[in-house]
Amino acid sequence: MTEVRPGAAASASLWERDEEVTVVRRAVDTLCSDRSSSGGLLVIQGEAGLGKTALLAETRRIAEARGCTVWSARGGEILRSVPFNVVRQLLQPALMSLMPEEAREYLGDWYGIAGPALGIAEPGDRQADPQGVCDGLVAAVRRLAEREWPLVLLIDDAHWADEETLRWLAAFAERLDDLSVLLVVTRRPGEVSGQSARRLDVVAAAAGVSTLSALTPEATAGLTRATLGRHADAPFCREVWAVTGGNPYETVELLAKVRDSEVEPVEARAGELRGLNRAARGGGLVARLEELGIDATRFAWAA
């Protein structure tokens, strides 16, 4: 792999991701080539910090540059128990932009079935049939895709999506052959079990799957020198890789700490990297806890 810096518009997490970006470009090109083209599905999987979210951001940039409509949603660890949370994120902004009459027209007979799940219609008196709701959501996306072509759907952290969304996602993935839409999903393998894992496996089985790996020592050295200067010596760069294991997120965080601490990137100072990395991880943990809310933060401090 070459030690070439990504373009200025790209994230640092896109080092050594040329192959994945090429796959995304081809999928977008196929989508845009013909309104009757079959749908596409890409799954990007990898452990935390390997650049899945950065690749989604690059997918958005590529798609919007081609004139695509892009809708996105993200799974949340503390929102998995909220039914239809992720699919609502994905579709509700588009539906809310329609007048009620328009939404009813686009959803047709499915309005009374899928509308309550999407939060645009009041639920009926009877308990909705889960399979009927799932079919209604598939039909809703089909009709909206015809209206918004070329349409790209992005779902980040699908492993944290609610069960109802995953049921829809698995059904939708199996029906993309006759639907001109590109769906790109990210997930961490092994994060969930049971029915959620099985549905994510159904999605992966229908997709082209890109499994992200850690950065090589060469790419880590390139990223180190791009951040700290070309004078960063080889032993220092190797220690950055050894400390972070080539994890792009951890590498970026560590290099920010090195820069802020004004540590000279030379072998004599390489011994300080492990302590800085622990500090960088600690800051990231606090930031994540704060995103979860005051109760989670108080509980962590108490623990």
Side-chain angles (χ1 to χ4, degrees):
M1 295 187 182
T2 58
E3 189 181 320
V4 178
R5 185 178 183 181
S11 163
S13 298
L14 292 178
W15 282 76
E16 293 190 319
R17 300 294 183 250
D18 289 351
E19 185 175 329
E20 291 80 5
V21 172
T22 297
V23 169
V24 167
R25 288 188 184 279
R26 287 174 180 164
V28 172
D29 287 345
T30 299
L31 174 68
C32 295
S33 65
D34 187 347
R35 197 180 187 96
S36 62
S37 63
S38 60
L41 173 58
L42 303 177
V43 172
I44 301 167
Q45 63 181 20
E47 301 301 329
L50 292 185
K52 300 184 296 297
T53 301
L55 272 169
L56 275 195
E58 182 67 2
T59 301
R60 174 182 286 277
R61 189 189 69 79
I62 292 168
E64 289 180 343
R66 289 295 308 272
C68 297
T69 300
V70 182
W71 298 339
S72 61
R74 186 173 191 174
E77 202 167 3
I78 62 173
L79 296 173
R80 291 180 63 193
S81 61
V82 180
F84 304 105
N85 171 56
V86 174
V87 74
R88 278 192 183 193
Q89 285 183 56
L90 194 66
L91 304 182
Q92 200 170 39
L95 291 168
M96 295 300 285
S97 69
L98 300 174
M99 298 296 290
E101 303 79 21
E102 289 180 293
R104 187 181 294 274
E105 178 185 346
Y106 275 109
L107 296 183
D109 294 339
W110 295 107
Y111 181 82
I113 299 173
L118 293 170
I120 60 170
E122 292 296 325
D125 297 332
R126 293 185 300 174
Q127 181 72 28
D129 170 49
Q131 185 59 49
V133 174
C134 181
D135 291 341
L137 290 173
V138 171
V141 179
R142 179 188 302 277
R143 296 185 181 185
L144 288 167
E146 291 170 356
R147 174 178 180 264
E148 300 289 346
W149 182 89
L151 176 63
V152 177
L153 304 177
L154 309 177
I155 300 180
D156 201 7
D157 290 339
H159 50 276
W160 285 334
D162 56 275
E163 284 290 342
E164 291 78 8
T165 292
L166 290 177
R167 183 186 186 114
W168 163 78
L169 188 59
F172 188 65
E174 294 181 322
R175 304 180 196 181
L176 275 171
D177 284 346
D178 60 345
L179 182 60
S180 188
V181 60
L182 174 62
L183 173 62
V184 186
V185 177
T186 73
R187 62 174 291 196
R188 291 185 202 169
E191 186 73 19
V192 293
S193 58
Q195 191 70 273
S196 295
R198 286 190 286 274
R199 284 174 176 154
L200 285 169
D201 288 343
V202 168
V203 176
V209 179
S210 296
T211 301
L212 303 185
S213 56
L215 299 178
T216 62
E218 293 76 19
T220 303
L223 180 53
T224 299
R225 292 181 176 124
T227 305
L228 304 178
R230 298 198 61 80
H231 62 289
D233 66 22
F236 186 91
C237 293
R238 281 197 300 271
E239 186 65 10
V240 171
W241 178 80
V243 167
T244 63
N247 183 291
Y249 176 81
E250 291 189 19
T251 302
V252 169
E253 291 292 303
L254 174 58
L255 294 176
K257 281 284 185 182
V258 170
R259 186 176 52 213
D260 293 345
S261 303
E262 298 183 348
V263 172
E264 190 69 14
V266 295
E267 183 175 10
R269 306 291 298 274
E272 300 175 40
L273 288 172
R274 293 191 183 275
L276 287 173
N277 191 52
R278 284 192 293 270
R281 284 188 174 194
L285 177 60
V286 171
R288 186 178 179 196
L289 284 169
E290 288 175 346
E291 288 176 359
L292 295 178
I294 189 65
D295 290 340
T297 306
R298 285 174 176 168
F299 177 80
W301 282 117

